[in-house]
């Protein structure tokens, strides 16, 4: 049992690539959480995808014991959080379980868009913030400039910022001392009724569902019966433990402590992130304030290539949903693709990661439909409905108006790339809100329609700014727009997976570019294939995939022209018949490639 005054719960927040995971590695190594033999780079990023891409996707928790200079041993609960805008929900959950934050800023790059977004989340959560300037060993590091920037842009005092190099281990002790001396201890009463927050959950093939808990009051012991207040389900606790990052069993978790429990939880629905867990016999009066549920902004359909693996896909999605609370799904069916699921994501990177995890971890072959956002339809009879899938769009005559979601985007960009960035935002129907300067970097705030951003806005932004621009956004509100449904027909058959909602002004160019892409992507058949883009009954663009021809006149040496003509006419008739009954298979890679809007 640890005294409350000797516990510190903190998270590490920063922009992408500013060194959160490396700093976490150094803190674990310094506190002896793992031996030198067990240490490796990005030790907390335990998914293959995280290690390959060099990004953090899941927030991870570790308990460390630190012998401070005052001779006391402190228990530090560290939460390493992701930096990418698509995983801000992971950050908000981690912040709710802590009292303080380490704000890591790259001493050469300075403050970026995600730094701002994450700091504001920490300030909202009423955190004590310690500023850490990382990468001070780089030749490009400019500590004084970055300190001034932190004070000007974020508005927090950076005079006592700790200068470290997580890579070389410089000044790591100073960070640990600051955690002990500058962060507040958690509050809570040991003899009160048990109330603890379910911060995260994941599926372990051997232990079943594991739930990460932050105990506020009371004690959570092995063998006790607990109740989830939101779902009302009761479970017997089989095992209580902490992650150091290895799994270590402990007899109990007291107030202020962070650890995990397993309780033979069979169904995924029983384990809701943000729920309050209390004693079944002696429950607490009110649940703890959870966190705001995440709102998916991008939707797409996932369908198995083989209809027989529909059940396997459903089980896999349920296991992933447990591991990633910001991911939503519901069943749907499509005329062309059969049965599948409509899934909601926080962004396009989130979609890519989920798709890759399904293919790797659960060995599934999937077809993905075009990503779309949620539109609000105001009908002529006065009712309103939400539309997640362009294929579900009702008859145009019944729709009075369509509203689309707009976002407020903050972009930090060096001065020399400002022109192309403003051009990109204007091309995407953006409205400039403000433009300010911090040193030689511009901070641009734009209002943009979300459906112009979900495809490849981020990729284009990175390429025109050579990777120096940083981007963060939040959903603003819905605005009415002149939107139409663009349908793609292949061999006169509509392909609902390629239907998209576009602004009327851009429909023709968009339709033409998709048709041109598909012409290159669909393999040639023995008959001509027309590829058309249509709005309602009006075709606005067309490309034709020419047929592969067999030379039927090869056996005619000289002789009468009528014989050759007869053979060619016969071939023509056969092709016409084939085209009526011919089925065109569109390869999976073509779906995604056709929808990328940037320059080919």
């Amino acid at each position: 049992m640890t005294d409350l005054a000797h516990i510190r719960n903190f998270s590490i927040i920063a922009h992408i690539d500013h060194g959160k995971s490396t700093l976490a590695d150094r803190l674990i190594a310094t506190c002896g959480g793992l031996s030198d033999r067990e240490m490796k780079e990005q030790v907390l990023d335990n998914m293959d995808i995280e290690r390959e891409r060099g990004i953090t996707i899941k927030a991870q928790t570790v308990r460390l014991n630190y012998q401070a200079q005052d001779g006391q041993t402190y228990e530090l609960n560290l939460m390493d959080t992701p930096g990418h805008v698509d995983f801000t929900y992971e950050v908000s959950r981690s912040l709710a379980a802590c009292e303080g934050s380490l704000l890591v800023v790259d001493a050469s790059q300075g403050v970026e868009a995600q730094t701002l977004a994450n700091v504001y989340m920490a300030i909202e959560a009423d955190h004590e913030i310690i500023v850490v300037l990382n990468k001070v060993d780089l030749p490009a590091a400019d500590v004084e400039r970055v300190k001034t920037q932190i004070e000007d842009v974020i508005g927090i005092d950076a005079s006592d910022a700790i200068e470290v190099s997580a890579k070389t281990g410089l000044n790591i002790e100073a960070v640990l001392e600051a955690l002990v001396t500058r962060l507040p201890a958690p509050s809570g009463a040991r003899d009160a009724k048990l109330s603890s927050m379910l911060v995260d959950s994941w599926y372990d093939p051997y232990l079943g569902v594991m739930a990460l808990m932050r105990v506020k009051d009371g004690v959570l012991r092995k063998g006790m019966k607990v109740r989830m207040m939101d779902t009302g389900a009761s479970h017997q606790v089989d095992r209580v433990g902490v992650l150091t990052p290895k799994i270590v069993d402990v007899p109990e978790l007291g107030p202020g402590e962070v650890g995990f429990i397993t309780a033979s939880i069979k169904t995924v629905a029983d384990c809701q992130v943000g729920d309050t867990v209390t004693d079944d016999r002696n429950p607490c009066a009110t649940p703890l304030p959870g966190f705001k549920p995440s709102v998916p902004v991008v939707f797409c359909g996932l369908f198995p290539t083989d209809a027989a693996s529909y059940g396997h896909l459903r089980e896999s999605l349920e296991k992933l949903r447990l591991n990633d609370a910001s991911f939503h799904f519901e069943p749907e069916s499509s005329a062309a693709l059969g049965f599948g699921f409509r899934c909601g994501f926080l962004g396009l990177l989130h979609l890519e990661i989920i798709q890759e995890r399904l293919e790797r971890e659960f060995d599934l072959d999937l077809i993905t439909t075009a990503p779309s956002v949620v539109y609000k339809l105001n009908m002529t009879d006065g009712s309103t409905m939400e539309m997640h899938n362009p294929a579900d769009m009702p008859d145009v005559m019944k729709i009075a108006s369509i509203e689309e979601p707009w976002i407020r985007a903050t972009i930090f960009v060096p001065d020399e790339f400002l022109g192309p960035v403003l051009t990109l935002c204007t091309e995407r129907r953006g409205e400039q809100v403000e433009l300010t300067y911090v040193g030689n970097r511009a901070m641009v705030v734009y209002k943009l329609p979300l459906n112009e951003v979900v495809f490849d806005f981020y990729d284009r932004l990175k390429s025109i700014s050579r990777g120096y621009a940083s981007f963060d956004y939040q959903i603003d509100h819905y605005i009415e727009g002149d939107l139409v449904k663009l349908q793609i027909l292949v061999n006169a058959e509509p392909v609902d997976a390629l239907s998209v909602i576009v602004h009327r002004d851009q429909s023709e160019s968009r339709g033409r570019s998709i048709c041109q892409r598909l012409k290159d992507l669909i393999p040639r058949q023995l008959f001509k294939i027309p590829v058309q883009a249509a709005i309602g009954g009006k075709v606005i663009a067309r490309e034709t995939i020419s047929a592969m021809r067999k030379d039927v006149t090869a056996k005619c040496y000289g002789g009468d022209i009528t014989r050759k003509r007869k053979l060619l006419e016969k071939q023509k008739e056969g092709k016409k018949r084939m085209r009526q009954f011919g089925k065109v298979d569109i390869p999976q890679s073509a779906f995604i490639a056709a929808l990328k809007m940037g320059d080919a």
Side-chain angles (χ1 to χ4, degrees), residues 6 16 37 45 48 103 106 125 316 340 353 375 417 466 522:
H6 295 155
I16 313 151
R37 189 172 59 79
D45 292 348
D48 291 345
L103 170 66
D106 184 329
S316 308
I353 296 289
Y375 297 94
F417 305 116
R466 291 206 229 121
I522 296 175

Side-chain angles (χ1 to χ4, degrees), residues 4 44 82 159 172-173 274 335 337 365 405 418 451 457 488 495 582:
L4 263 178
L44 295 182
S159 56
I172 297 297
E173 283 282 343
L337 301 169
D365 273 339
L418 184 60
N451 74 344
F457 180 83
I488 303 297
V495 183

Side-chain angles (χ1 to χ4, degrees), residues 499-510:
S499 301
V500 284
I501 303 282
V502 290
H503 196 267
R504 195 182 295 276
D505 297 348
Q506 295 171 339
S507 58
E508 199 172 316
S509 60
R510 189 73 191 281

Side-chain angles (χ1 to χ4, degrees), residues 295-443:
V295 180
V297 294
V298 179
F299 286 84
C300 88
L302 291 179
F303 294 86
T305 44
D306 174 14
S309 42
Y310 175 77
H312 178 39
L313 175 60
R314 188 180 61 233
E315 284 168 24
S316 308
L317 289 173
E318 282 180 354
K319 285 176 185 171
L320 266 192
R321 166 94 177 87
L322 181 73
N323 192 269
D324 183 349
S326 53
F327 165 59
H328 298 260
F329 66 92
E330 56 191 40
E332 77 162 348
S333 63
S334 136
L337 301 169
F339 291 100
F341 292 90
R342 188 94 197 137
C343 305
F345 307 91
L346 296 182
L348 226 58
L349 177 72
H350 190 201
L351 184 159
E352 250 178 76
I353 296 289
I354 292 279
Q355 193 186 338
E356 207 169 315
R357 286 184 68 186
L358 285 169
E359 286 170 2
R360 282 187 187 198
E361 294 173 28
F362 302 101
D363 199 23
L364 282 157
D365 273 339
L366 299 172
I367 292 175
T368 318
T369 63
S372 73
V373 299
V374 184
Y375 297 94
K376 284 188 180 163
L377 307 183
N378 299 315
M379 313 304 275
T380 46
D381 62 1
S383 63
T384 57
M385 64 176 273
E386 284 192 349
M387 178 178 68
H388 293 207
N389 187 350
D392 300 338
M393 187 161 168
D395 183 6
V396 189
M397 303 307 291
K398 294 180 181 169
I399 302 172
S401 64
I402 305 178
E403 293 179 20
E404 60 178 337
W406 281 58
I407 60 169
R408 187 184 174 90
T410 310
I411 301 169
F412 275 85
V413 62
D415 200 17
E416 67 215 76
F417 305 116
L418 184 60
V421 169
L422 296 180
T423 312
L424 174 70
C425 293
T426 313
E427 272 172 17
R428 299 291 167 96
R429 302 192 279 132
E431 295 170 6
Q432 191 174 320
V433 180
E434 61 178 283
L435 171 59
T436 48
Y437 276 89
V438 183
N440 63 343
R441 288 165 75 216
M443 182 175 112

Side-chain angles (χ1 to χ4, degrees), residues 545-566:
I545 301 169
S546 55
M548 290 194 285
R549 278 189 62 184
K550 180 185 170 191
D551 189 359
V552 287
T553 59
K555 61 189 177 192
C556 302
Y557 293 103
D560 192 358
I561 185 69
T562 54
R563 183 146 178 254
K564 287 186 179 177
R565 198 163 282 151
K566 186 177 161 192

Side-chain angles (χ1 to χ4, degrees), residues 9-13 47 50 56-61 77-82 84-101 117-118 120-122 124-127 196-203 210-216 243 258 271-276 288-295 319-328 346 350 354 357:
N9 298 322
F10 68 98
S11 57
I12 304 182
I13 54 174
M47 273 191 265
E50 291 183 311
T56 303
I57 295 168
K58 285 288 299 170
Q60 297 290 351
T61 312
N77 290 307
L78 169 153
M79 295 208 178
D80 179 25
T81 61
H84 199 282
V85 61
D86 283 18
F87 306 116
T88 42
Y89 186 63
E90 290 283 330
V91 182
S92 68
R93 293 212 317 250
S94 302
L95 296 180
C98 302
E99 284 80 36
S101 294
N118 288 344
Y120 291 148
M121 278 160 77
E124 265 177 46
D126 205 16
H127 274 207
S196 62
M197 187 195 281
L198 206 159
V199 183
D200 197 1
S201 59
W202 61 96
Y203 187 81
M210 297 178 76
L212 185 72
M213 312 301 295
R214 158 74 157 87
V215 181
K216 295 278 187 189
L243 301 160
V258 178
C271 218
Q272 290 194 350
V273 168
D275 200 350
T276 302
L288 296 166
F291 2 83
K292 295 195 288 266
S294 71
V295 180
K319 285 176 185 171
L320 266 192
R321 166 94 177 87
L322 181 73
N323 192 269
D324 183 349
S326 53
F327 165 59
H328 298 260
L346 296 182
H350 190 201
I354 292 279
R357 286 184 68 186

